[in-house]
Amino acid sequence: MAQVTQALPRPKQAPWQRRNLKNIVLITLASVLPSLLAIAITVAFSIDGAIGLVAVFLPIQILATVAVGQYLYKKRGRQDAVLMIFTIFFSTLVVVLLTSVLVSVFQRGAAMMRLSFISQNATYISSTTSLDYGGLGHAMLGSLAIVGFTTLVTVPLGVGVAIYLTESRSGSRGIVRSLIQSMSGLPSVVSGMFIYSALIVTGVSHQIGLTGSLALIPLMLPTVARVCEEALRLVPGDLRSAALGLGAPSYRMFLQVVLPAARTGIITAVLLGVARVIGETAPLLLTVNAAANTNLNIFDGPIETLPTFLFRNLSYGTDNSIQRAWGAALVVLFLVLIIFTLARTVGGDKKVAKPKKRK
Amino acid sequence: MNLSTATSHLRSEDINVWFGERHVLADVNLDFPSNQVTALIGPSGCGKSTFLRTLNRMHELIPSAGLAGSVLLDGQDIYGDGVNPVDVRIKIGMVFQKPNPFPTMSIKENILSGLKLSGRKFVNGDDIVETSLRRASIWNEVKDRLGEPAISLSGGQQQRLCIARSLAMEPEVLLMDEPCSALDPGSTRRIEETIEELSEAMTIVIVTHNMQQAQRVSHQTAFFLAEDGNPGTVVEFGSTDDVFNRPVDARTNDYVNGHFG
């Protein structure tokens, strides 16, 4: 009989996790001392904080980490140290920048949060009216109507382009792909100018919600088409072969195999598209007439949107209107958050039952 | 080449294949009689998988593909005018090298996917699922978990599921492209047993790199070879016993005895 192997408790440290006191002390010193030294120098020479961060702290920190890396692990430690400091420094920088934007919007916008601000519109409200009266309800609804219509038109178009690019063998795919890519670099104000000169100056239409939607479509289309194309491209060729090998016509192969497999990616494409246009201001300033009252009809009359509400209040320049602009910024952030969460929950929902725990 | 062509079920006539301007397969004439297992052997790059894909018109899905010659199924050219490749692929099923169950579908849905994908109406779905899984000898392993995702199965089970998926379509011919190359010996043995049982009901063509497997499962064997950048050709074709034990061509002898390739 072979001896039965006994299960052992897991050791506290794996071979690559071994630390001794000397290492710990050195690494702690290398992490703490440079920042203290950098602060001291910055204060002593009264250097500007941002310059001090990049010109004083970063070099000192790199030198210190490289020295410790060299001492502990030789050449490997040296290279490791440089890469590690750059990675941590710049990723922290990005996180801090983004967080500070969010924090300032929350700080200044939170003061504005009250039911009336969300539910009321801006009829009879001037830039000096008390903050307890008037709100951006009309702008939220207008934004939803305009962006909603834009999405309704753009998603079939964008998905269609993506299908053409991934599923067909047409020779002109290269041209279409280049066009879509160059469209994504289109300045949004140009899109607004185009609709303004083509439809409004020529008298075809007044400045209504629909013209705003039309100006947003060229901005949303490249995002939807490109992300969607990536999602479809990620579906393995094996699955297409499997479906075709079973005798599926191409359209059924696409609808029943490729599309479900790419579903999450396509939802992401739509989301990114909505996020791309929901904060667009310039094209709407040119193509949509401002309104203080609630208007849901994008085919007639002036209509307000969140970004134009924000822009106009900012341009009035009074304390109250700037406070309203911050409130609007916070509402836009929340709206995007809600849309993302909603679509993620709907999109993450799996059709196939999860495997049961087996005994 | 002493096999009768009178009962031949599937037959290739002067199949030539190009990728772009490159001629990769020349003058392949093979007969696949009913209820026989034919093994296609040869070194990598000799065109045997490509040839297999010409037999159910999967080859033409590659954008640069070119072809001359014909493939006759019961005397009808599957490349003839007005023949829908979709109908060809329903009659001539295919199992691929890598198991490729549909990841968004459950085990049961995978089995029925062929019927749904080809737009066929069916009523007794549960019966079809059970019969197909039994014929692929995987029923006992999955009968209690038909609703689970197909990708929760092991590699060997996934491949047998893919075979069952093809069987649900009741094909006349089953093409297998190295179906065991990614599997362990136990799963390989079970699939070989399945092939043997299936050959009673259909014609099977299998590409394999495994000499023992070719000898175990096939009735006849074709040896493909592409030499020095020339297009691949069939060097020897005959009963498996003859090809392995009494090869006519010296190159076949070298290959089946492991001297090259």
Side-chain angles (χ1 to χ4, degrees):
Chain A
M1 283 291 278
Q3 199 185 346
V4 177
T5 309
Q6 296 290 322
L8 292 171
R10 177 186 156 153
K12 289 234 160 42
Q13 284 187 343
W16 60 90
Q17 292 170 324
R18 271 185 214 126
R19 295 249 184 281
N20 56 38
L21 191 61
K22 192 178 75 180
N23 289 7
I24 296 173
V25 169
L26 274 176
I27 290 171
T28 317
L29 284 180
S31 326
V32 178
L33 279 185
S35 20
L36 295 179
L37 189 61
I39 291 171
I41 292 176
T42 318
V43 172
F45 291 90
S46 58
I47 304 170
D48 180 71
I51 298 172
L53 195 65
V54 179
V56 180
F57 169 71
L58 191 58
I60 295 177
Q61 179 68 67
I62 289 176
L63 280 179
T65 327
V66 166
V68 173
Q70 165 75 25
Y71 177 72
L72 288 179
Y73 303 108
K74 304 289 177 271
K75 188 183 174 201
R76 174 170 76 100
R78 221 160 59 218
Q79 296 166 332
D80 207 22
V82 173
L83 196 61
M84 190 169 75
I85 292 308
F86 270 108
T87 318
I88 295 178
F89 182 76
F90 286 108
S91 52
T92 315
L93 203 66
V94 170
V95 171
V96 167
L97 283 176
L98 285 178
T99 322
S100 62
V101 170
L102 281 179
V103 165
S104 59
V105 171
F106 267 88
Q107 271 180 346
R108 320 257 315 244
M112 199 57 230
M113 282 309 113
R114 59 202 75 189
L115 189 62
S116 62
F117 187 63
I118 303 295
S119 62
Q120 293 180 3
N121 62 29
T123 327
Y124 308 124
I125 303 297
S126 81
S127 57
T128 49
T129 315
S130 156
L131 294 176
D132 286 327
Y133 300 102
L136 45 53
H138 64 308
M140 283 170 71
L141 293 174
S143 259
L144 286 181
I146 289 180
V147 173
F149 185 79
T150 309
T151 311
L152 219 60
V153 177
T154 311
V155 167
L157 276 178
V159 175
V161 170
I163 294 172
Y164 172 73
L165 289 178
T166 54
E167 308 295 318
S168 84
R169 288 194 200 163
S170 156
S172 43
R173 282 178 303 172
I175 299 168
V176 173
R177 191 176 285 119
S178 313
L179 280 177
I180 288 285
Q181 272 168 4
S182 50
M183 260 174 88
S184 64
L186 181 77
S188 59
V189 69
V190 173
S191 173
M193 272 164 60
F194 171 68
I195 297 296
Y196 184 74
S197 57
L199 297 181
I200 295 163
V201 172
T202 53
V204 176
S205 166
H206 297 290
Q207 289 175 313
I208 55 173
L210 181 66
T211 47
S213 270
L214 290 177
L216 291 181
I217 288 171
L219 302 173
M220 187 172 176
L221 185 65
T223 311
V224 175
R226 291 180 68 187
V227 180
C228 205
E229 186 197 347
E230 287 306 314
L232 291 176
R233 207 175 283 291
L234 281 178
V235 176
D238 280 357
L239 295 183
R240 296 171 208 260
S241 298
L244 293 172
L246 283 167
S250 301
Y251 76 94
R252 279 221 177 85
M253 180 267 292
F254 180 76
L255 288 178
Q256 293 179 26
V257 174
V258 178
L259 213 52
R263 197 173 56 129
T264 323
I266 293 172
I267 290 170
T268 309
V270 176
L271 276 179
L272 289 176
V274 171
R276 168 81 175 80
V277 297
I278 199 157
E280 273 303 340
T281 321
L284 294 179
L285 286 174
L286 288 169
T287 52
V288 180
N289 218 347
N293 60 321
T294 309
N295 175 16
L296 279 176
N297 184 359
I298 60 165
F299 298 102
D300 192 25
I303 184 166
E304 186 69 300
T305 64
L306 281 173
T308 51
F309 177 88
L310 196 159
F311 178 84
R312 251 185 287 280
N313 273 288
L314 209 57
S315 62
Y316 294 152
T318 66
D319 286 349
N320 278 1
S321 67
I322 287 177
Q323 183 58 53
R324 284 201 178 89
W326 280 108
L330 186 57
V331 169
V332 174
L333 271 183
F334 260 108
L335 213 61
V336 172
L337 183 74
I338 290 169
I339 294 173
F340 270 62
T341 321
L342 255 181
R344 274 281 167 231
T345 350
V346 176
D349 190 15
K350 280 270 176 321
K351 246 174 99 183
V352 177
K354 290 215 171 88
K356 284 172 210 141
K357 287 263 158 77
R358 300 178 71 77
K359 283 170 193 168
Chain B
M1 308 265 180
N2 51 0
L3 292 153
S4 157
T5 56
T7 59
S8 122
H9 187 201
L10 189 69
R11 175 184 162 85
S12 74
E13 288 187 340
D14 297 325
I15 286 289
N16 283 267
V17 170
W18 291 264
F19 285 124
E21 294 305 313
R22 199 161 55 90
H23 195 183
V24 294
L25 205 54
D27 299 328
V28 180
N29 290 285
L30 294 178
D31 289 308
F32 306 101
S34 294
N35 301 344
Q36 298 257 312
V37 179
T38 306
L40 310 181
I41 60 170
S44 294
C46 66
K48 54 194 187 311
S49 289
T50 302
F51 172 71
L52 193 76
R53 293 170 68 90
T54 65
L55 294 178
N56 73 340
R57 299 192 63 168
M58 290 294 281
H59 168 65
E60 68 204 60
L61 297 170
I62 299 162
S64 65
L67 182 106
S70 48
V71 175
L72 304 179
L73 179 67
D74 292 326
Q76 295 284 317
D77 186 3
I78 65 168
Y79 285 99
D81 286 342
V83 176
N84 186 346
V86 167
D87 297 332
V88 171
R89 295 180 200 133
I90 290 174
K91 283 186 195 157
I92 306 179
M94 191 159 198
V95 176
F96 296 83
Q97 184 173 358
K98 223 176 101 197
N100 52 4
F102 298 125
T104 53
M105 301 182 191
S106 68
I107 293 171
K108 182 179 167 180
E109 286 167 340
N110 259 282
I111 299 297
L112 297 175
S113 62
L115 296 163
K116 284 183 186 151
L117 281 165
S118 59
R120 290 195 184 171
K121 298 265 185 296
F122 58 93
V123 279
N124 45 350
D126 289 342
D127 292 344
I128 295 172
V129 170
E130 180 171 347
T131 317
S132 308
L133 288 170
R134 277 191 194 284
R135 289 178 77 192
S137 55
I138 187 183
W139 170 251
N140 285 330
E141 293 160 61
V142 301
K143 63 183 174 191
D144 299 323
R145 46 197 289 209
L146 293 175
E148 289 180 21
I151 39 176
S152 67
L153 298 173
S154 76
Q157 289 172 326
Q158 287 188 16
Q159 189 64 299
R160 275 180 285 146
L161 178 72
C162 291
I163 294 175
R165 184 175 66 184
S166 296
L167 295 179
M169 300 296 290
E170 311 221 333
E172 296 173 21
V173 181
L174 191 61
L175 309 177
M176 304 177 110
D177 189 1
E178 298 181 49
C180 304
S181 68
L183 305 182
D184 65 289
S187 302
T188 301
R189 183 177 53 78
R190 303 201 58 173
I191 287 184
E192 287 178 9
E193 286 166 7
T194 306
I195 292 173
E196 200 174 333
E197 286 163 27
L198 291 177
S199 69
E200 289 166 18
M202 61 190 70
T203 308
I204 293 175
V205 186
I206 177 170
V207 169
T208 179
H209 276 294
N210 183 328
M211 296 301 124
Q212 286 75 33
Q213 180 170 61
Q215 282 177 282
R216 284 193 298 263
V217 301
S218 71
H219 303 104
Q220 51 174 12
T221 298
F223 172 55
F224 283 69
L225 191 61
E227 285 174 312
D228 301 333
N230 292 321
T233 47
V234 175
V235 171
E236 189 150 356
F237 176 49
S239 80
T240 300
D241 187 39
D242 284 344
V243 170
F244 280 91
N245 299 320
R246 291 172 291 281
V248 177
D249 196 293
R251 292 169 296 180
T252 316
N253 188 39
D254 286 350
Y255 185 74
V256 298
N257 289 307
H259 294 160
F260 81 94

